[in-house]
Amino acid sequence: MTRLFAKLRRTALMMVGMPDYDGYVGHMQAHHPGAPVMTRTQFFRERQEARYGGKKGGKCC
């Protein structure tokens, strides 16, 4: 039941545009064990910049 709740939570967060930090950390530990892991704040900012353009001046219209 806990796994189902976690999956539903991740799905709901993705639907509203919130990135999955815990999934990112798990991926980094499993596939890139020696690489540095971003903090939650760094991860969130990087995902926001990737989605909305950030410093590259993403434009809506």
Side-chain angles (χ1 to χ4, degrees):
M1 188 65 151
T2 302
R3 289 176 60 188
L4 175 61
F5 177 72
K7 188 166 187 121
L8 289 172
R9 182 178 182 274
R10 281 194 307 271
T11 301
L13 289 173
M14 284 191 295
M15 289 174 67
V16 296
M18 293 294 295
D20 181 18
Y21 180 73
D22 295 330
Y24 158 74
V25 172
H27 171 82
M28 291 299 288
Q29 290 173 344
H31 299 283
H32 311 282
V37 177
M38 289 185 273
T39 65
R40 187 175 296 272
T41 302
Q42 290 171 328
F43 175 75
F44 182 76
R45 287 183 181 156
E46 190 274 332
R47 293 287 78 219
Q48 290 296 308
E49 287 179 11
R51 181 174 182 167
Y52 297 114
K55 296 176 185 173
K56 297 177 184 170
K59 296 183 179 178
C60 172
C61 303

